[in-house]
Amino acid sequence: MAAETVEGAADASTPAQDFTPVHRCRFVQHTPSAIVAMAYGPVLPTPADQQGQPSAAVAAAVKRMRLLAVARANGDIELWNPRGKAWFLERTIPGSPDSPIESVAWVLQPAASASSSGEDGNDSDSDAEAGMQEKAQAPSAAAPALPTPRLFAAGLSGHIVEYNLATMQPRNSTDSFGGPIWCMAANHAQTHIAVGCEDGFIRIFRIPPADDSDSPLEFVSTVEKQAGRVMSLAWHPSDKFIVAGSVKNTIRKISVATGKTIHRMSLDTVRGEDTIVWDLRVLPPPPAVPASGTPQLSTASETIVAADSLGYVTFWDWNTATLRKRVKAHGADALCLAANAAGTRVFSSGVDRKVVEITLADVTGPAAATATPAAAFGSKDGLDGPASNHAAGKRAPVSKMSWILSGQKRYHSHDVRALIYIEDRPFDALVSGGVDASLIFSTPTAAFARMKQQRMPTYPHRPIVSVASSARLVLARFEDTANVWRLGSVMQSDLLAPALLQDHQRLTHSAHKHLITIKFKGRTNLCASAISNDGQWIALSDLHTVKLYRVALNAESDQPSIKRVKHFPESSSGALALVFTSDGQRLVAAGVDGCIRVVSLDTELADSMAVVVELLRPSSGASSSLSGQTLGGSLDLDASQAGSLRDGAAVSSLAVSHDGKWLASGDVLNRIHVFNLETHKLQATLPVFHSLHTSLSFHPTQPTLIVTCTSNEFYLYDVEAARLSDWSRANSHRLPTRFLERRETIMGACIDPAKPTRLVLWGASFMCTVDLAHTLQPAASAASAPTGAEKRSRSDSAPTQIKKRGSAMSLDASSASATTPAAQEGDDSDDAAAADETFEQRTTQARRTKSRSGRSQRVFRPRQALVLDSATSGDRKHHRNTAPPPALADFGFRMDHRFQAIMFIGFAGSDMIVVERPVLHVLAALPQAFYKHKYGT
C-alpha cells in the first residue's frame, strides 16, 4: 500500500499563500477481476435466413445500438460504448462470484409491430432497450419498428440468463440440466442457441420472439454425447452443422438435424496427456476474383480453425476433415481466436501473452503474384482440382495459398483469455483481455504491424470512491465489501511559512487510518454506495437490497461503532445510484425500476425510515413533467404532469446541490432531469447531448449543474433559469481542440470550494483546471480539418505555446485573426446568443465532409484546431528564457499529468483528494505470469 502524501499545489504565478493541499491516496487497493469473454453486437441476422432485407434506416439504427459486452470472472458484465472520443464503460451489470460467466452472446430479433409498441406502460423497458444510445424522442408514425437487442450469458452455474438492458436485472433464466456450461454460441439466423456442457452433451435451445422475451428458452434437442466436457462451439454459416471441441483431443462436425457426428478430427498429444480444444472458428470460403474483376463466391469450402493446449493453431478442410495447415503460434496454450469476415486473417492469443496474426498468403513466388485466392484452392493441396486459364492459349501459373504467421505483439502481462476482431467503421479494433484485467483496443486493424494500443482503466469509469468532506473520510466500494479511511492532516509547522513552499512540495503530515470494513451479504456484487457529509450514514446496495448503516464516530478512541438500520423501507428494491443530501437528513436512491426515491433519515434509529416521495421521471414520449407519489397519497399534479409514466431506463448518475434543494439524474438513454426536492416537482429537462454524459455535479455556491460528456465537452447549466449559464453559452463552443481531441475521456468534475471559479476536470491519466473567470478566445470556423500546409501558414499569426513545468502542461492559444478591443475584453453577447440559439442543433452536428484526398472524415464542429508551437529552434530557445505573454498565460486551461491511474478527485474542505491506483500495484496483486526459460537468458 502506498503511503499518503500531501503536497502544496500552487501555480508559480499566484501568491504564495494561495495553495491547495493535495492528498495523494493510494490505499484503495482495488483489484479488478479477470476478463473471461467478450461479444460485440448486436448484428443483423444473415440475410439468406431472413424473409427480406432490412431497410437502411433499420441497419443504421442497429449500428447505433452496438455495444461491447465484457464478462469478468466475478460475474459482472460490462457494456462499453464506442460512440465518443474513446470507448466508454457505460454501465455494469452486477453479477455474483457464485455464478461465474464463461460466455456471452448478443441476439437481435425483429421488434413487435409498430401498432402494438409504446401503447402500454409495461413495455417501456423494451422500448428503452430498443432505443438505447439514441436521443430520447418519440418516433414518428412512419418510422419502422426497430429490432430489440438481447444479451445472453452462460457459465458454471449451469443456467442461460437473459438480461434486461434497461434495468440490468436478469429477465429470465433457463437451466441446461447438463451441469456447468463451458461455451455458448448463437446461430447466424439468431433463432437458436447451442451450449456445451460438463456432461459432454451439446444442447440446443430456441430463442423466443422479441415480444415474448420474458419467456425462458425452449429446449429443442441434444446432440450425440462425447467423452469429456465440451469446451468450444462454432456454427456453420448455413446453421445446419455445429463444430465442437472437447478436452479429449478431438474436434467433431455434427449435423443439427440428426444430432449425429459426421466427421471426427483428432489432434496430437504429448506424453499421453489429452489436448484441449480451447476455441473454434468456421471461416467462409475465400472470395474468388475472376479475370473480369467481378467478385464472386468461391466454390472452395469453408475452413475450420482450432486453438489447442499445445499452442498450435490448426486449419482443417470442411469437406474432407483433413488437416491443411498447422501453425506453432504460441509457447503454451492457445486460448482464444478471432477472424475477419472475409476469412483471410486469423488472430490468436493465449497463456504466453502474445497476440498473433496468421494470414492467408500466396507462397509460390513472383510468377504467381497475380493469382487469385480461388486459384490457390485449385492446386494439388486445394479442394476443386486444377485451375487453368486458356485465354492466352496456355496454362497459367498455379499459385499456392497457405496460412503463415505474419506478425505478433505482446500487450498483456498475463494470460489472454478473450479476443475479438471488430469490423464496424469507424469503431474497427482488435480487442483483447485476460487475467491482468486490462481491456486493450488495438487500431488501426488494416495493418497489424502499425497497430497502436489503447489501454482502458482497470477500474470503473464512474467512481467507486466517495468522500465525507466534513468528517474527512473516504469510502471505497468493492465487490462485496466497503472500506472507510480517515485522511491525514498537514503538520502546522509546515503552514507557518507558506511563502517558502514550492510548487508540489511534499509536506509533513500524519498518516491516514483505516476505520471500518463492512461485509455486505447480498445476492449480487455491490453496484452503489454513498457516505453522508458528516460521516454518520453509509448506504450500500446491490440489485436487490439497499442497506443503511449508522456510524458513531468516537473522537477519543478513534474506533467508530457501526450499526445497521433494520427497518429500511421494504417497498424499495435495489439501487443503481445513491447519494445523501449535504445535511445528512435525506437519502436519494435510484432504484432498478427507474424510480427515484427520497428517504427521510430524520428519525430515531429504532424507527422505520420513511420514503418521503417517489420521483417518476418522464418517459421518452411524455412531456417534460414529473409525477410524484408519497406513502400517504399523491402530490398535487397539474395537467401536464398527469400523463407522465415511469420509464424504467436505468439511472446511471445522481447529484444533489450543496443546499439540498436540487437533484439531478441521468440515465442510460442520456436524458438528464433536474428536480426540486422542496416541491418534489420537475424543474428542467436538459437537451439530449450528441455524446453520452459521464458525470453530473453541482457548483458549491451556485445553482449550476456541471455536465461532462464522452466527447470531452462540458456544460454549465443554470438550474433556476433552466438554460445554459452565461459562461457556458459564451465558451462551451470555444473549447480548445487539443483538449477535445484527447483520447482519454473526462470521468468527473468538481469545483474548488476555496476558489469557486476554478473547475477541475479529471480522467484516468490527467487533471485539467479551468478558470471560469476567463473568457475563451473565439475560434475561426473551418469546414474541414486543416492540412499540414494550412497549419504551417497559420502558425505565424496564431501561435500556440505549451508551457511545461515539471510534468504539468498549460494550454495557451490566441485567436487566428485580429479581434476588436471589445472582443478581447470579453464582449461576447453575439457569440452567446448564437450558442444559445444553436445549442440543441449541436447535438446532431457530426457531419461528413470531403478532404483534399477525397476520403471522408468526421467533423464535429466548425472550430479551428490548435496546433503546437511551430516557431524556429532559435525562437524556442528564446521562449525558454522569457516568460510567455500575459494574455496567453491567462488562457484558462492547465493540464497536469503528475498523477497515475486516477480513480477519483474531490475536495474535503479546501483540501484536494486524489485517489490513485497505479497499474504496477494492480499487477503486483495478480498471480505469477507464464514464463518459459530460454537458453542463454
Side-chain angles (χ1 to χ4, degrees):
M1 178 187 303
E4 180 190 28
T5 64
V6 181
E7 302 175 348
D11 196 297
S13 62
T14 60
Q17 63 272 15
D18 183 15
F19 71 95
T20 301
V22 179
H23 298 255
R24 297 187 65 174
C25 307
R26 296 187 177 183
F27 48 73
V28 179
Q29 295 183 334
H30 173 264
T31 302
S33 185
I35 296 174
V36 296
M38 292 188 294
Y40 181 73
V43 296
L44 290 170
T46 304
D49 298 327
Q50 303 300 312
Q51 296 181 355
Q53 293 284 349
S55 63
V58 172
V62 170
K63 182 173 183 177
R64 292 191 291 269
M65 295 177 188
R66 290 174 185 165
L67 299 170
L68 176 64
V70 178
R72 295 190 178 266
N74 62 354
D76 290 349
I77 300 178
E78 300 174 348
L79 300 181
W80 291 76
N81 194 318
R83 285 159 290 278
K85 290 299 179 183
W87 290 75
F88 177 73
L89 179 53
E90 180 182 297
R91 64 192 107 161
T92 300
I93 300 176
S96 172
D98 298 333
S99 302
I101 296 175
E102 289 292 330
S103 183
V104 289
W106 287 98
V107 170
L108 186 70
Q109 291 185 336
S113 60
S115 60
S116 62
S117 62
E119 295 182 1
D120 190 353
N122 296 329
D123 296 334
S124 58
D125 290 354
S126 299
D127 295 339
E129 293 179 24
M132 66 177 181
Q133 317 310 332
E134 290 300 294
K135 294 184 179 180
Q137 57 185 6
S140 60
L146 297 179
T148 303
R150 305 169 66 180
L151 179 63
F152 292 87
L156 302 185
S157 64
H159 288 77
I160 308 171
V161 181
E162 180 183 1
Y163 290 93
N164 187 322
L165 298 180
T167 64
M168 295 191 287
Q169 285 185 311
R171 170 169 285 163
N172 56 68
S173 179
T174 304
D175 196 341
S176 65
F177 295 103
I181 298 175
W182 292 96
C183 54
M184 176 179 65
N187 64 347
H188 295 80
Q190 304 190 34
T191 57
H192 292 77
I193 282 183
V195 294
C197 301
E198 175 75 19
D199 59 0
F201 283 103
I202 297 176
R203 291 170 171 82
I204 301 176
F205 297 85
R206 187 185 69 86
I207 304 174
D211 53 359
D212 191 23
S213 58
D214 290 334
S215 301
L217 301 178
E218 178 184 343
F219 174 76
V220 176
S221 63
T222 59
V223 303
E224 187 179 37
K225 183 179 180 179
Q226 69 177 22
R229 64 177 67 138
V230 182
M231 294 301 300
S232 53
L233 280 176
W235 287 82
H236 187 267
S238 65
D239 290 341
K240 297 180 180 179
F241 304 95
I242 291 178
V243 182
S246 71
V247 296
K248 297 292 185 179
N249 47 268
T250 57
I251 303 173
R252 296 185 302 155
K253 184 172 74 172
I254 305 167
S255 172
V256 175
T258 63
K260 301 297 183 181
T261 300
I262 300 176
H263 289 112
R264 186 187 305 271
M265 291 151 274
S266 297
L267 302 177
D268 293 341
T269 60
V270 176
R271 293 185 296 273
E273 296 181 0
D274 293 326
T275 302
I276 303 174
V277 183
W278 287 111
D279 203 0
L280 285 171
R281 290 290 185 273
V282 178
L283 304 183
V289 184
S292 60
T294 304
Q296 297 179 356
L297 185 65
S298 172
T299 57
S301 66
E302 294 80 3
T303 303
I304 301 173
V305 187
D308 59 40
S309 57
L310 298 181
Y312 286 98
V313 177
T314 53
F315 298 83
W316 304 79
D317 180 78
W318 175 264
N319 290 336
T320 63
T322 57
L323 180 65
R324 294 185 56 89
K325 184 72 174 182
R326 185 174 66 168
V327 179
K328 181 61 174 177
H330 302 279
D333 296 45
L335 299 178
C336 49
L337 291 171
N340 63 343
T344 58
R345 302 172 68 192
V346 173
F347 303 89
S348 67
S349 190
V351 175
D352 64 352
R353 303 166 287 162
K354 292 189 302 183
V355 177
V356 174
E357 181 193 39
I358 306 174
T359 308
L360 183 63
D362 189 351
V363 296
T364 55
T370 59
T372 63
F377 290 94
S379 63
K380 72 175 184 177
D381 293 332
L383 308 174
D384 303 324
S388 60
N389 182 8
H390 301 283
K394 61 180 181 179
R395 191 178 184 87
V398 179
S399 65
K400 193 174 183 180
M401 303 292 288
S402 179
W403 294 94
I404 62 172
L405 196 154
S406 55
Q408 61 183 20
K409 293 180 179 293
R410 183 169 293 172
Y411 294 143
H412 295 267
S413 63
H414 288 70
D415 306 6
V416 179
R417 297 191 56 184
L419 195 65
I420 188 170
Y421 185 79
I422 299 176
E423 294 180 281
D424 187 18
R425 292 185 178 179
F427 313 126
D428 296 358
L430 177 64
V431 191
S432 57
V435 176
D436 62 0
S438 296
L439 190 65
I440 296 180
F441 294 85
S442 303
T443 55
T445 58
F448 184 80
R450 295 195 298 268
M451 279 186 179
K452 296 182 179 180
Q453 62 172 334
Q454 183 181 8
R455 187 183 301 268
M456 293 294 139
T458 57
Y459 43 84
H461 282 191
R462 290 191 168 90
I464 60 175
V465 177
S466 52
V467 173
S469 57
S470 298
R472 297 174 60 84
L473 301 180
V474 176
L475 170 69
R477 179 183 79 246
F478 304 103
E479 294 178 4
D480 58 350
T481 59
N483 291 339
V484 179
W485 295 267
R486 171 171 287 151
L487 294 173
S489 58
V490 180
M491 298 300 180
Q492 294 298 322
S493 59
D494 285 348
L495 302 180
L496 296 179
L500 301 179
L501 295 177
Q502 301 295 326
D503 188 17
H504 282 264
Q505 175 182 337
R506 184 185 180 100
L507 304 179
T508 306
H509 63 281
S510 59
H512 67 277
K513 184 175 182 180
H514 179 265
L515 298 181
I516 305 172
T517 296
I518 303 175
K519 179 69 175 180
F520 187 93
K521 296 181 180 179
R523 296 164 58 182
T524 66
N525 296 329
L526 289 173
C527 56
S529 62
I531 185 170
S532 62
N533 192 33
D534 55 8
Q536 296 184 8
W537 295 99
I538 294 177
L540 303 175
S541 177
D542 63 359
L543 281 180
H544 304 280
T545 308
V546 178
K547 295 183 180 180
L548 186 64
Y549 302 88
R550 182 68 180 264
V551 181
L553 300 175
N554 191 339
E556 297 180 357
S557 62
D558 207 17
Q559 292 295 330
S561 61
I562 184 170
K563 184 176 181 180
R564 180 187 167 191
V565 177
K566 299 294 185 181
H567 301 285
F568 195 79
E570 298 181 356
S571 59
S572 61
S573 59
L576 299 175
L578 296 167
V579 65
F580 287 94
T581 56
S582 296
D583 57 4
Q585 300 300 317
R586 288 171 293 179
L587 170 65
V588 182
V592 295
D593 55 357
C595 181
I596 301 176
R597 296 175 175 87
V598 181
V599 181
S600 174
L601 306 179
D602 190 16
T603 56
E604 296 295 333
L605 184 60
D607 296 337
S608 175
M609 303 291 103
V611 176
V612 177
V613 65
E614 292 185 353
L615 306 177
L616 307 184
R617 296 174 297 112
S619 61
S620 299
S623 59
S624 297
S625 58
L626 167 71
S627 63
Q629 296 178 350
T630 63
L631 295 180
S634 299
L635 296 175
D636 294 333
L637 306 176
D638 54 30
S640 62
Q641 294 171 338
S644 298
L645 299 174
R646 180 175 303 182
D647 192 283
V651 176
S652 58
S653 305
L654 282 179
V656 176
S657 62
H658 288 254
D659 58 1
K661 182 178 180 181
W662 306 108
L663 168 68
S665 70
D667 59 21
V668 295
L669 300 182
N670 208 29
R671 298 171 301 179
I672 301 175
H673 305 288
V674 180
F675 305 97
N676 190 321
L677 292 180
E678 295 179 352
T679 63
H680 302 154
K681 292 186 178 181
L682 181 66
Q683 171 70 11
T685 299
L686 276 67
V688 179
F689 301 101
H690 70 278
S691 58
L692 292 173
H693 77 280
T694 60
S695 69
L696 302 176
S697 57
F698 276 94
H699 195 285
T701 60
Q702 302 173 5
T704 302
L705 176 66
I706 305 171
V707 183
T708 61
C709 301
T710 57
S711 60
N712 285 339
E713 296 173 307
F714 61 92
Y715 300 92
L716 278 65
Y717 188 82
D718 190 333
V719 174
E720 294 182 345
R723 68 172 190 178
L724 289 179
S725 67
D726 295 338
W727 187 94
S728 191
R729 293 169 62 206
N731 298 281
S732 288
H733 61 291
R734 296 177 174 178
L735 301 179
T737 306
R738 284 194 70 248
F739 178 77
L740 295 174
E741 291 180 350
R742 293 184 59 88
R743 298 187 67 180
E744 299 90 348
T745 301
I746 299 177
M747 298 169 60
C750 54
I751 295 289
D752 187 353
K755 191 174 183 180
T757 59
R758 179 184 298 170
L759 171 64
V760 179
L761 307 170
W762 59 272
S765 61
F766 73 93
M767 182 183 71
C768 176
T769 57
V770 182
D771 194 345
L772 301 180
H774 291 75
T775 300
L776 304 184
Q777 298 294 333
S781 299
S784 61
T787 63
E790 291 172 346
K791 290 181 178 180
R792 289 190 296 270
S793 63
R794 196 171 59 196
S795 60
D796 294 336
S797 60
T800 301
Q801 298 183 0
I802 304 296
K803 176 188 175 183
K804 294 187 178 180
R805 179 182 177 89
S807 60
M809 179 177 65
S810 60
L811 302 180
D812 301 323
S814 61
S815 174
S817 59
T819 57
T820 62
Q824 295 177 358
E825 294 174 3
D827 186 6
D828 304 305
S829 57
D830 296 338
D831 293 328
D836 187 41
E837 180 181 357
T838 61
F839 176 69
E840 296 188 14
Q841 300 175 359
R842 292 182 63 247
T843 60
T844 57
Q845 223 175 19
R847 303 183 179 94
R848 291 193 176 275
T849 183
K850 293 288 183 178
S851 64
R852 294 188 177 183
S853 61
R855 301 170 64 182
S856 62
Q857 61 184 11
R858 188 172 296 275
V859 176
F860 291 90
R861 59 192 57 78
R863 181 186 288 107
Q864 174 185 348
L866 297 181
V867 295
L868 294 177
D869 186 10
S870 58
T872 63
S873 58
D875 294 337
R876 293 193 187 101
K877 184 180 299 183
H878 174 72
H879 286 314
R880 286 197 296 266
N881 298 327
T882 60
L888 299 181
D890 295 339
F891 181 66
F893 274 77
R894 186 174 186 270
M895 299 293 296
D896 196 332
H897 296 276
R898 289 181 174 92
F899 309 112
Q900 305 177 29
I902 302 174
M903 296 181 62
F904 174 82
I905 290 183
F907 284 89
S910 59
D911 294 1
M912 177 184 289
I913 301 172
V914 180
V915 180
E916 302 172 280
R917 185 59 171 162
V919 176
L920 293 180
H921 292 192
V922 176
L923 297 179
L926 298 178
Q928 185 176 2
F930 169 80
Y931 173 75
K932 187 175 183 180
H933 177 72
K934 294 183 179 180
Y935 178 76
T937 60

